[in-house]
Amino acid sequence: MKAKLYRLLEQRSATCPYFVIPLWRGSGYTTMFMQVQLPHMIFTGLEDYKARGTQASPYYTVTHFTEFAETKDTVLVRGDVVFTSKLTDAEAKCLLETAHSFYLNDVRYKLVERFNKETHDFEFKDVLQALEMPSM
């Protein structure tokens, strides 16, 4: 990713480190909970997070490597699926692209802000609508 986008992700995730993302599966979706602590992003199932809180095991971890940010204007990104029984590589790729889109797109980021700062006003159906997914 471009270094400028990483810096925006860094700025936004500092005040809004949590979000929920629906992951389409078959004829429905499962909801993933994410935490951003750059250079890392950690994803787990929302139900696991509800049951175990901070002790929930990550399904997928992402690391951003900034070594080339200044010289090449590039931040390398690596994702590792921890539980292959819970997440495929294709789902992980989709999850990362979706997460980046919510933090880097100004319109979508408003939902991330609402989730973190105005929780009582947050509606998950707005996330589904932003992703053009049907409400179940």
Side-chain angles (χ1 to χ4, degrees):
M1 75 187 305
K2 292 290 184 189
K4 180 181 178 182
L5 290 176
Y6 179 79
R7 285 190 291 275
L8 180 61
L9 177 62
E10 207 171 34
Q11 174 193 346
R12 289 179 169 179
S13 65
T15 56
C16 296
Y18 307 108
F19 198 54
V20 286
I21 296 174
L23 182 63
W24 192 256
R25 284 200 167 142
S27 60
Y29 60 84
T30 186
T31 305
M32 303 297 289
F33 179 78
M34 67 176 289
Q35 179 177 1
V36 184
Q37 288 181 307
L38 289 177
H40 306 288
M41 298 172 101
I42 303 162
F43 298 84
T44 193
L46 180 61
E47 294 306 315
D48 281 353
Y49 183 78
K50 284 179 178 179
R52 297 181 186 86
T54 58
Q55 300 304 310
S57 296
Y59 292 7
Y60 178 47
T61 60
V62 174
T63 305
H64 297 79
F65 296 92
T66 59
E67 289 83 350
F68 298 115
E70 296 304 315
T71 58
K72 305 269 188 214
D73 188 37
T74 300
V75 173
L76 301 177
V77 182
R78 176 188 169 136
D80 292 293
V81 176
V82 179
F83 278 117
T84 53
S85 62
K86 302 273 190 180
L87 204 62
T88 67
D89 287 348
E91 289 171 331
K93 181 177 186 273
C94 178
L95 202 52
L96 176 59
E97 289 169 354
T98 304
H100 277 162
S101 80
F102 273 96
Y103 276 88
L104 301 175
N105 175 290
D106 293 341
V107 173
R108 287 185 173 187
Y109 180 66
K110 290 181 188 327
L111 293 171
V112 177
E113 278 187 309
R114 194 175 309 148
F115 182 81
N116 284 272
K117 297 178 179 180
E118 301 160 13
T119 310
H120 59 282
D121 291 333
F122 178 78
E123 295 279 347
F124 188 69
K125 67 178 176 51
D126 295 336
V127 176
L128 294 172
Q129 187 176 359
L131 294 170
E132 298 179 1
M133 292 173 80
S135 296
M136 304 305 279

